[in-house]
Every structure is written in structure tokens, then in C-alpha cells.
Amino acid sequence: MQSLWDDQEAAQYEGDLAQRVYTSRLLGRDPALVLHGGGNTSVKTVETNLLGEQEEILWIKGSGWDLATIEKAGFAPVRMKPVLKLAELPELSDTQMATHLKNAMTDASAPAPSVETILHAILPFKFVDHTHADAIISITNTPGGRERVQEVYGDSVVIIPYIMPGFKLARLCAEIYRAEATDKTRGLVLMNHGLFTFGDTAKVAYERMIDLVTQAEEYLTRHGAWQIELPPAAPVEKALRHELAELRREVSGAAGFPMVLQTHQDPMSLAFARHAEAARIARQGPATPDHVLRTKRLPLVGRDVAAYRAEYEEYFRQHAAHSPQKLVMVDPAPRVILDPALGMVTAGRTAKDAAVVEDIYRHTMEIILRAEELDRWQALPAQDIFDVEYWDLEQAKLRRQPKPSVFTGEIALVTGAASGIGKACAEAMLARGAAVVGLDINPAIRDCFRRPDYLGLVCDLTQPQAIDDALEAAARRFGGLDMVVLNAGIFPSSRPISELTLAEWRKAMDINLDANVVLLTAVHPLLRAAPQGGRVVIIGSKNVPAPGPGAAAYSASKAALTQLGRVAALEWGKDNIRVNIVHPNAVFDTGIWTEEVLASRAKHYGMSVQEYKTNNVLRTEVASRDVGELVAELCGPVFAKTTGAQIPIDGGNDRVI
């Protein structure tokens, strides 16, 4: 492991807290040290309070902050004096500890201090760093882990037996450190947990961390357990979307809410899922107890979600029986699924959550395989893992979880999503918590939204194979579909029927109608598997109830599409799929309505541009966003008992009314 310290870069961070920010970010840059909010850092300073008194302050990473991006505001300032008094108590519950730590803060608006605050406070060094280094965990999580740690480090570290984070760990570390630390001590190894280093400067604490982790990596290398050799593992060459949609439905059923599933078929994921002893090595427990809150105690090996759920519920009953308080069971759905055909599938309430699970379990797989090469993988006993999963502080978080957005965990497919109404529909879905798959023939679709819950795919909807490929990609990225918005279409040049060519007619039908027939046929199995029922919204047109001259091909294609939607509503109701249609008119913030075109059309009718844009009963403009909001609402709970409806969004048209 290489030190990332740079003297010129470090010089830009003036002061102790700024230096603390700098080396915290250095640690956070390396996922082999910390992942997604893991790890902890602190610095002790002397500050002058409002009364002019000097007091020692411990600045420790606050709850919810990630070391890779932390700023000064991410550190909680805690008075050292009351914290050290807490450390002298014979007993203290973690709930009481959290309350007293908040009371000891000098800034009530700062984030809540870490549960490891007391441990950082009692270590007699200015800077303290804590990571969950992969190399360290690979060594500690073996039957002879303690002896191996001693072999690696000798008397340069103090070894702490595993105990869950909180007050008891701080007390134990204080006792062992005072008894065993010498002038050679450069760190603490917490078995099955991680590594602490410290120093009088940020650089010393950081580079001690790098040096000690490097020693662990070199030890693993000497024992042939650092570089992981994987057997060839080719992906299964078949469509998986229907299987993934069914699996997602079962996982969501176990969770009690919709879940996003992401499929990973890289060589590591496939090789681990196909490992001859996958059940033994994967079903012991997480790499560190901290990970159980993200990945659950065990992955699901295979696809029997019902059996996994029953096993988890039994695990909860057995261990909750020994708890002095009534515990609220977290959902019994897997977060990691290992399957020979699928590889690794990660589940989360959102796409971001599923991606975090992926990152964590990738490191878990490497740690397990290294431990196996070194000796044998050995996770903590189930009771220790349960104690973290059902920790008082975690139970409190569970009880005050905010209500999720209306489409959290659901997936929407929007066609023609690169601009105009389609893009507005995608925005409305994303704003309500859905993951969105956008399809468009325009390559700009790929970059319409840069976020983990969006997948933009270039797709020519007139090509059935392109539709198949897009749906396969959508299922592998998010697990299935819940909502489909049929928006893509064309508006041919105005032409009277007497001058209409067959080619123009066929092109309008091909894009506006036939492509949607193929797409609806293809998405039906995915919508049927939607955990909360499938929904389809078709973007029709005012021209369906009130056609205009010169738009025969467009009007007929949209009328046929509307009729298709009505039949689908009749046929798909038994599958709990709702199908509704909206009929927009005069939506002028789309690509076809340039300033020149608007001016020309307004002049044709003897109006100003503004009069033309508001030429409706309500004298209002209709924007793409208005249509997008209506489409999203049609997919939501307000219209849960509506199907086959046709809703105008045109400001009121006298011919329609």
C-alpha cells in the first residue's frame, strides 16, 4: 500500500482540524481501507470558549459523513473533560453514552459524534485513525488470527479481542492499552474489526496506518494469500430478465416493499458464486460486524427466497429471546444473492443502496478468499453479529426512519426520454424516488441524468432486437420494471390525405404504433412481476378526440395506439397492471417547436406567439413538465384504482370538451 501524502498538497491545509480533514480524505480514497462511511478519525485541540476559558476538544468524525469527502463540518466537537469522566464509569449503556456525548458537544448543529468517541478520547495521542483494512481482516478472521497478528507485528501493536463498538469496547481498550502498550506501540488491532493508529501529527498517524497495513499485505503475499487467482467463469449466454424480475418480486415480498436488484457477472462475482464451497464460505457472516447493517448477516446462495426468509426469522427469534427489550425485526430479505447463472445480485431499497452493497461484498469476497488461502475463513459467531444488527442505537434509527418517496424501490421505463415530454416524465419519476431507464434514438440519452438510479440507452424502437437488448440491460441494472411510459413518436409534416404517400403513412404507423405493440408485448412479463402491480401510461394526443386537417397519419397512429391501450387495460387487469392514456396538446417546449415554427404558426392564425401558446379555454401554457407530473401521478397511489382512462392535458380544448 502506497502513502498518498503529498507535502505540497498538505501545506494547503493549515491548522490541526484542516490537517485532520486532509489525511481523513487520504484514507477515504482507498476502498481497501474504508468503505461507505466506515472508519473513523479524530484530532484533539485546545479551544477558547465564549467565556474566555480554554478547554480541550476532541474533533471526531460525525455520523453520516464519508472519509473520502469529509469537510471540517463533518467533525463533531466534543469536550474532552466530560468524555474522560464517562470513561471512568463502571457501566454505561450505549443509549446513555450517545445522549451524554451529544450533551458534551460545543456545537449543537454539528453531526452526532461517533460511538467510538470515548475510545478516541482515551488514547493519549493528538491524531487517531481507524480503518477496516481488508488485509487486516483477512488475517484476523481465521482460526489462528491472533497468533498470526502477533507474528506480523510483534510488540508494535496491542491486540484487542473482539467486542462490539461502544462503551464496553472503549473500557476494554483502555485497560489492555494501559497494561500492554510500550514505547514501541504504533497501533491497536481489534480482532474481526480493524486497525487503530495514532501520532502527534496527522502525517505520523496516517503513515503508520499505511505502514502497518502494508506489513499485513506483505505477510499475505509471503503466504500466497494476497493475489487471488480465479478460475475461468464465462457468463451464461441467455436472456435473464424474466428470471430476474421474478426474483425481484420474491425479494421485495420478503422485504415488504419494492427493492432494486443489480446483477454482476464479472469474473470475480461468477467465480465466487460458482465456488465449490460457496455455501460454507459465504454463509458464515460478514467481514466485519459493521457490514451487517448493509449486507445482512448472510447472503442467499441460490434463489430460494422463502427458505432464506424463514431462516432469518428463526435467527431473529432465537437471539431476540435473550434480549431484555422488545426488538423490532428488520426486513428478512437478502441483500446479496449468489447464483451460478446470475453471479452476484445485490439488493437495496434504492439503486444507490444496491451499489453500496456491491462495493462492500466485493471486498468481502476478496477477504474471504484470502483468508481461505491463508488458513480458513472464520467469521464471528451469530450472536455477536446479531448484537450489532439489533444494537439499541440501530433500533432507535429503525424506529425514526423517514418515510420513503412514493416510488422508492420501483423502476420506470420511459421512451423518447432524451428531450421534451419524455425527459420531463423521467424527471418526475426520479423526483419521486424511482430508478429510471430512458430509451431514445438520440445518443444524448446516455447523459441526460448523471446519477446511479438512471440508465440511458440508445434504442431504435422499430427494431425488435434493440428492444430485447434494452429490456435485458434494464433488468440486469435494476431488476425489472414497474412502470412504462410510451412517449416516443414522430409528428410527420402536415400533408392532406390526397398528397399523403404510403411511405409517410407507414413510417408514422411503424414508429407511433407498431414499435409500441412490440414493446408492450415484451414488457408484459416484467410488469406482471412488479411487486406493487405494473403501470403503463401512453402519451396520446388531442388529435385522437379532435383531429386536425393535414395530420392523417399522425392522428390515425395515435388513435390506434389509444385503442391498443384500452384493449391492454381490459386484458391486463387480471395481472394487476393498470393502463391509462394522456392526451396533451400544444406543448411548445419540445424540439419540434422552434421560435421560427412558433412564429409561423401564430401568424397563420393571426395571433401573437403568446396568444397562440395560450389558445385554450384556460388561457394557460402547457409545458412538458406539466405532462410529466400528470404521468407520474397516474402511476401513483391517487390513481391506484383507475385503468383505461383517457385524460386531456391541453388547457381545455373546445373541440375536445
Side-chain angles (χ1 to χ4, degrees):
M1 179 166 285
Q2 298 295 315
S3 171
L4 301 177
W5 178 278
D6 181 279
D7 286 333
Q8 285 187 318
E9 189 178 34
Q12 300 173 25
Y13 293 80
E14 297 182 3
D16 291 334
L17 184 55
Q19 287 279 292
R20 177 68 289 169
V21 169
Y22 175 58
T23 53
S24 297
R25 291 179 179 176
L26 295 185
L27 293 171
R29 283 186 205 174
D30 194 336
L33 292 175
V34 293
L35 281 171
H36 299 290
N40 221 312
T41 58
S42 67
V43 61
K44 301 176 180 77
T45 66
V46 175
E47 310 285 339
T48 302
N49 63 26
L50 287 174
L51 302 177
E53 302 166 336
Q54 288 193 325
E55 53 186 355
E56 194 173 8
I57 303 296
L58 174 72
W59 298 84
I60 187 160
K61 191 193 87 167
S63 175
W65 283 80
D66 194 306
L67 288 181
T69 56
I70 198 164
E71 301 172 359
K72 287 183 179 181
F75 287 90
V78 186
R79 296 181 180 90
M80 281 282 287
K81 188 174 181 180
V83 173
L84 293 175
K85 285 185 177 180
L86 289 177
E88 296 172 0
L89 295 174
E91 287 191 15
L92 182 67
S93 75
D94 289 333
T95 301
Q96 290 174 317
M97 179 187 70
T99 299
H100 285 287
L101 290 178
K102 286 183 181 179
N103 291 338
M105 292 170 60
T106 63
D107 181 357
S109 66
S114 164
V115 296
E116 293 174 347
T117 298
I118 295 176
L119 174 51
H120 281 248
I122 62 177
L123 290 172
F125 295 93
K126 189 176 186 69
F127 291 87
V128 178
D129 294 352
H130 170 212
T131 73
H132 304 140
D134 290 359
I136 300 290
I137 304 299
S138 298
I139 296 171
T140 62
N141 289 29
T142 60
R146 182 183 181 92
E147 291 73 23
R148 289 183 181 277
V149 171
Q150 290 176 324
E151 184 181 346
V152 174
Y153 296 118
D155 58 1
S156 63
V157 303
V158 172
I159 302 174
I160 310 295
Y162 175 78
I163 188 170
M164 71 177 285
F167 180 72
K168 291 180 180 179
L169 174 62
R171 284 295 306 266
L172 181 65
C173 286
E175 293 171 7
I176 296 177
Y177 181 83
R178 289 174 187 142
E180 299 184 12
T182 69
D183 55 2
K184 295 180 181 180
T185 301
R186 297 188 299 148
L188 300 177
V189 172
L190 278 60
M191 297 296 294
N192 305 89
H193 189 129
L195 174 67
F196 277 78
T197 58
F198 26 73
D200 292 328
T201 68
K203 183 177 182 180
V204 168
Y206 168 72
E207 295 202 327
R208 281 181 174 174
M209 177 67 68
I210 301 304
D211 289 344
L212 291 177
V213 174
T214 298
Q215 285 182 248
E217 292 176 350
E218 291 171 345
Y219 178 85
L220 291 167
T221 300
R222 290 195 301 272
H223 289 77
W226 180 245
Q227 294 297 332
I228 301 171
E229 295 185 10
L230 300 173
V236 174
E237 294 294 335
K238 69 170 184 175
L240 298 172
R241 62 181 180 273
H242 297 156
E243 296 175 48
L244 289 170
E246 288 298 326
L247 180 61
R248 173 175 174 259
R249 182 181 60 80
E250 292 179 23
V251 171
S252 299
F257 45 78
M259 297 278 279
V260 170
L261 265 59
Q262 296 184 342
T263 303
H264 313 282
Q265 295 197 313
D266 55 279
M268 169 64 83
S269 298
L270 287 168
F272 193 81
R274 296 171 184 175
H275 194 286
E277 296 193 71
R280 176 182 66 81
I281 61 176
R283 291 182 59 75
Q284 289 189 44
T288 77
D290 306 65
H291 292 170
V292 71
L293 302 174
R294 301 277 199 167
T295 65
K296 285 295 180 72
R297 182 174 77 94
L298 301 174
L300 167 60
V301 178
R303 305 188 199 179
D304 193 341
V305 177
Y308 181 95
R309 178 177 183 173
E311 179 184 11
Y312 186 88
E313 290 172 344
E314 180 59 27
Y315 154 80
F316 175 80
R317 282 193 293 270
Q318 287 181 1
H319 296 285
H322 305 296
S323 174
Q325 61 177 326
K326 185 177 181 180
L327 300 177
V328 177
M329 187 177 77
V330 299
D331 71 88
R335 294 301 188 269
V336 179
I337 300 168
L338 301 170
D339 180 84
L342 302 178
M344 173 176 65
V345 177
T346 55
R349 193 73 190 268
T350 66
K352 182 179 178 180
D353 291 342
V356 168
V357 172
E358 176 202 355
D359 283 348
I360 291 174
Y361 208 76
R362 283 195 182 282
H363 286 265
T364 300
M365 290 189 292
E366 292 181 355
I367 289 168
I368 290 174
L369 293 174
R370 285 176 179 142
E372 283 286 302
E373 287 295 323
L374 186 63
D375 183 355
R376 179 168 53 83
W377 168 249
Q378 180 175 285
L380 284 167
Q383 184 64 56
D384 287 317
I385 297 170
F386 182 88
D387 289 343
V388 172
E389 190 174 11
Y390 286 91
W391 195 1
D392 291 354
L393 301 180
E394 291 303 323
Q395 284 281 290
K397 285 183 186 177
L398 191 64
R399 292 186 179 95
R400 62 174 184 266
Q401 275 186 335
K403 185 178 180 180
S405 299
V406 64
F407 293 152
T408 297
E410 296 196 296
I411 303 106
L413 176 78
V414 182
T415 68
S419 61
I421 290 174
K423 188 173 184 180
C425 290
E427 287 175 337
M429 294 294 190
L430 288 167
R432 288 163 172 77
V436 171
V437 180
L439 305 185
D440 205 293
I441 200 168
N442 183 351
I445 189 67
R446 297 190 183 100
D447 300 314
C448 284
F449 307 95
R450 294 181 177 272
R451 44 192 292 172
D453 51 2
Y454 173 75
L455 175 64
L457 299 172
V458 177
C459 181
D460 182 350
L461 292 169
T462 64
Q463 302 300 314
Q465 187 59 54
I467 289 176
D468 280 350
D469 292 345
L471 295 181
E472 187 70 15
R476 293 184 184 221
R477 178 67 171 270
F478 297 129
L481 289 178
D482 301 273
M483 299 167 280
V484 174
V485 180
L486 301 183
N487 166 71
I490 60 169
F491 191 97
S493 299
S494 179
R495 196 178 307 282
I497 295 174
S498 60
E499 299 176 12
L500 184 64
T501 68
L502 186 58
E504 289 174 314
W505 173 270
R506 285 177 174 169
K507 183 176 181 180
M509 291 296 173
D510 191 26
I511 296 173
N512 293 353
L513 177 62
D514 296 352
N516 287 310
V517 173
V518 175
L519 182 58
L520 282 174
T521 302
V523 300
H524 176 257
L526 303 180
L527 294 175
R528 188 173 54 197
Q532 297 188 141
R535 283 138 284 167
V536 177
V537 178
I538 294 172
I539 307 298
S541 170
K542 180 273 298 182
N543 280 33
V544 173
Y554 177 77
S555 299
S557 65
K558 285 292 187 177
L561 179 61
T562 298
Q563 199 74 343
L564 176 70
R566 295 173 69 194
V567 174
L570 292 170
E571 294 180 353
W572 292 2
K574 65 182 184 301
D575 299 319
N576 196 24
I577 301 171
R578 298 189 277 119
V579 184
N580 292 294
I581 304 107
V582 299
H583 292 311
N585 184 47
V587 181
F588 296 112
D589 60 341
T590 60
I592 63 171
W593 290 101
T594 64
E595 291 183 8
E596 292 78 10
V597 171
L598 271 171
S600 173
R601 299 303 296 168
K603 184 178 179 180
H604 176 78
Y605 286 100
M607 302 178 182
S608 69
V609 170
Q610 186 59 30
E611 288 172 337
Y612 181 68
K613 290 168 72 174
T614 58
N615 185 28
N616 53 56
V617 172
L618 295 176
R619 295 292 184 263
T620 186
E621 289 188 44
V622 180
S624 294
R625 182 181 182 278
D626 300 321
V627 182
E629 290 295 311
L630 175 58
V631 167
E633 285 300 315
L634 272 173
C635 293
V638 172
F639 289 91
K641 298 181 180 181
T642 299
T643 193
Q646 299 181 58
I647 303 176
I649 177 164
D650 54 14
N653 184 284
D654 54 356
R655 293 178 62 213
V656 172
I657 294 172

